[in-house]
């Protein structure tokens, strides 16, 4: 039986439609609020049907020298064609950090499982 950490898949998001793509500044100032967006299917669209869709995206922050991730945001996408409504798999939030670290995104496709990506973020001042 696999550990959950072994079930997270990753790849280059330009070639793999399931990878959550994190858009955030590379450098921010301590205490300044900044925008973060995480989207699945940014380069290659992912299906959004009742049979095959992205169910959720979560965003975590891991401070440098820490081994405890902090959950920053959690978005669930619950309309996949019901009544002609579709929620696209994009999480948007605003964040304030005081230490350098990483932003880590995870996402879940109901057919293709768990996916992850991460970016480094530098916090100055
Ligand atoms: Fe999928």
């Amino acid at each position: 039986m696999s550990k959950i950490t072994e079930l997270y898949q990753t790849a280059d998001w330009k070639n793999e439609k399931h990878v959550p793509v994190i858009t955030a500044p590379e450098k921010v100032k301590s205490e300044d609020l900044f925008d973060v967006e995480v989207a699945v299917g940014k380069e290659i669209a992912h299906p959004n049907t009742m049979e095959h869709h992205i169910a959720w995206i979560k965003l975590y922050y891991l401070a440098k020298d820490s081994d405890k991730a902090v959950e920053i945001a959690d978005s669930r996408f619950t309309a996949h064609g019901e009544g002609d409504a579709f929620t696209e798999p994009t999480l948007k939030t605003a964040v304030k950090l005081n230490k350098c670290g990483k932003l880590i995104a995870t996402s879940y496709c109901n057919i293709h499982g768990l996916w992850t990506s991460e970016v480094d973020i530098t916090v100055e001042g």
Side-chain angles (χ1 to χ4, degrees):
M1 193 165 174
S2 299
K3 289 184 177 182
I4 187 114
T5 51
E6 296 167 355
L7 301 178
Y8 281 94
Q9 306 164 78
T10 195
D12 182 346
W13 61 267
K14 289 179 182 158
N15 304 318
E16 170 49 64
K17 64 178 175 269
H18 288 93
V19 178
V21 181
I22 302 168
T23 303
E26 287 178 25
K27 278 186 190 174
V28 296
K29 285 190 177 164
S30 180
E31 294 291 330
D32 277 5
L33 204 56
F34 62 93
D35 293 331
V36 179
E37 179 186 293
V38 185
V40 172
K42 196 164 176 123
E43 187 74 18
I44 307 164
H46 186 278
N48 190 0
T49 66
M50 285 192 257
E51 296 79 25
H52 184 192
H53 55 264
I54 302 300
W56 52 257
I57 296 175
K58 294 176 190 273
L59 181 65
Y60 302 90
Y61 163 64
L62 180 63
K64 191 178 175 187
D65 303 324
S66 173
D67 60 357
K68 302 285 184 299
V70 174
E71 185 179 276
I72 290 179
D74 177 358
S75 288
R76 297 194 69 82
F77 312 109
T78 53
H80 310 286
E82 303 91 318
D84 281 329
F86 298 85
T87 40
E88 289 300 320
T90 301
L91 173 160
K92 290 183 180 180
T93 190
V95 184
K96 200 164 37 169
L97 301 174
N98 294 318
K99 274 185 165 179
C100 295
K102 286 176 186 221
L103 294 173
I104 302 165
T106 59
S107 59
Y108 175 69
C109 167
N110 70 319
I111 304 267
H112 300 106
L114 296 163
W115 293 81
T116 188
S117 70
E118 59 185 54
V119 295
D120 292 326
I121 190 153
T122 301
V123 180
E124 297 176 324

